[in-house]
Amino acid sequence: MHRGGPINTVSSAADETPFEVELTDGSEPGQVVAHVRGELDAAGNPLLQQSLLRALRRAERLLTIDLSGVTFFGSAGVTALVWVSQHREAAGKRVCVVATSRIVTGPLELTGLLDRLDVQGMPTGSDAPGADPH
């Protein structure tokens, strides 16, 4: 199996939500990483879900959804994460989310998904969810 290069890249159309999903092989055997960049809002939700399902199908045992390049994380992003993590094809596979900014962790915290999803890369200090900014 070829390691390290892009498997597939999906971009939204210019007149739609500006985001991109690039699939690569992960460092662990059977791992696929979906690198998501840009704005995740309702207009791009169907394409985002299709892209994450494609990644889930390609992953043999672990799907890592890397949201460190996301600049806006609306309800479409939340919905897509819940949808893919509960999809029937996720049975027997681990779905991990990399969230490195409050743009992503804030909505995950508000919806209670920080406790339900395997979230890694959480911001520390004043950027951490629930941190006192003073």
Side-chain angles (χ1 to χ4, degrees):
M1 178 184 277
H2 176 69
R3 289 254 179 250
I7 299 171
N8 188 21
T9 302
V10 174
S11 298
S12 60
D15 59 344
E16 294 180 13
T17 306
F19 76 90
E20 178 178 276
V21 179
E22 180 181 12
L23 305 182
T24 59
D25 289 314
S27 58
E28 297 182 33
Q31 177 187 24
V32 169
V33 180
H35 303 274
V36 184
R37 291 180 286 279
E39 299 178 10
L40 303 181
D41 68 13
N45 191 42
L47 182 58
L48 177 61
Q49 287 184 343
Q50 290 171 6
S51 300
L52 294 179
L53 181 57
R54 185 176 302 113
L56 182 62
R57 288 177 174 155
R58 194 176 291 268
E60 294 172 17
R61 55 179 219 77
L62 172 60
L63 171 59
T64 301
I65 304 169
D66 183 353
L67 301 176
S68 58
V70 170
T71 57
F72 177 81
F73 189 73
S75 62
V78 171
T79 301
L81 290 181
V82 171
W83 182 82
V84 77
S85 68
Q86 295 179 350
H87 196 278
R88 62 181 169 80
E89 293 192 40
K93 298 178 184 180
R94 189 170 140 229
V95 177
C96 172
V97 176
V98 176
T100 58
S101 74
R102 288 286 295 150
I103 290 168
V104 175
T105 60
L108 292 179
E109 180 181 29
L110 287 172
T111 58
L113 290 175
L114 280 181
D115 298 329
R116 294 182 46 209
L117 297 174
D118 181 359
V119 180
Q120 300 177 1
M122 295 285 291
T124 58
S126 63
D127 286 342
D132 184 359
H134 299 288

